[in-house]
Amino acid sequence: VATVLGGFKSLGELRTNPFGLPQVWEWENYGGILWSKRYWQLLGNSLIISTMTVVLTLIAASMAAFVFAQIKFFGSAMLMSYITMGLLFPAATAILPLFIKVRDLGLLDSYFGVVLPQVAFALAMSILLLRRFFKDIPYELLEAARIDGCSYIEFFRYVTLPLSRPILATVGTIVFVNSWNSYLIPLIMLNSDDLYPWPLGIMVYQGEYSSEWHLILAFVTLTILPTIILFLFAQKHIVAGLTAGAVKG
């Protein structure tokens, strides 16, 4: 609430009255941002990066989770533990080798230079959530499908995925929000202003000696609205996905 109201204040009033209602409502703070081409460019870049991250993460994580949940093979537990270790390391700990690898692949200053590292760091959490859900699908269903001539790929496509819409919506929303708010990886991988997502766009309102905090608060309010709207629409699926399998019997 303080962020939303702060966007309606002048810089001077924000310093003297940071939490109360504005004495004079400065509507042009929001209007100037909404009517600027730069805002929509930043929003479009964020939408492209986040959507690509969600799609690639769901494709890779769902297939990996299905293998770990439904197919028995030697070393699966050890491999799953190795993947789970990815949760222990934030992106900041690997930013230098990550930058070198992205540079060697020729993906610096491109959408994929940001998307692929985000997908890599989202896979561990996504596989864990999806695997837990997939394991609740009766194994007898897979055996019956195999007897009827259904392949693993067909079972995954026509049975597992349709039954997994709640958890897919849950994982997709979490990955989207994390990608939408990501700051460090885009900062390191992008050089062109035309490719900046919205977290880097805040730097427009930061000068050498001072920052236009009233405009920053208005900008942040407008840019977090898409994630709030997404969460409200997906809330029912998120609750269903996170509570699935919590109660047995």
Side-chain angles (χ1 to χ4, degrees), residues 48-62:
I48 292 172
I49 292 173
S50 299
T51 302
M52 292 172 63
T53 301
V54 169
V55 171
L56 292 178
T57 300
L58 288 181
I59 291 174
S62 61

Side-chain angles (χ1 to χ4, degrees), residues 133 137 154-166 168:
F133 192 94
I137 298 176
E154 291 173 335
F155 182 82
F156 171 72
R157 179 180 177 183
Y158 296 111
V159 179
T160 302
L161 290 183
L163 293 175
S164 306
R165 279 178 291 184
L168 291 175

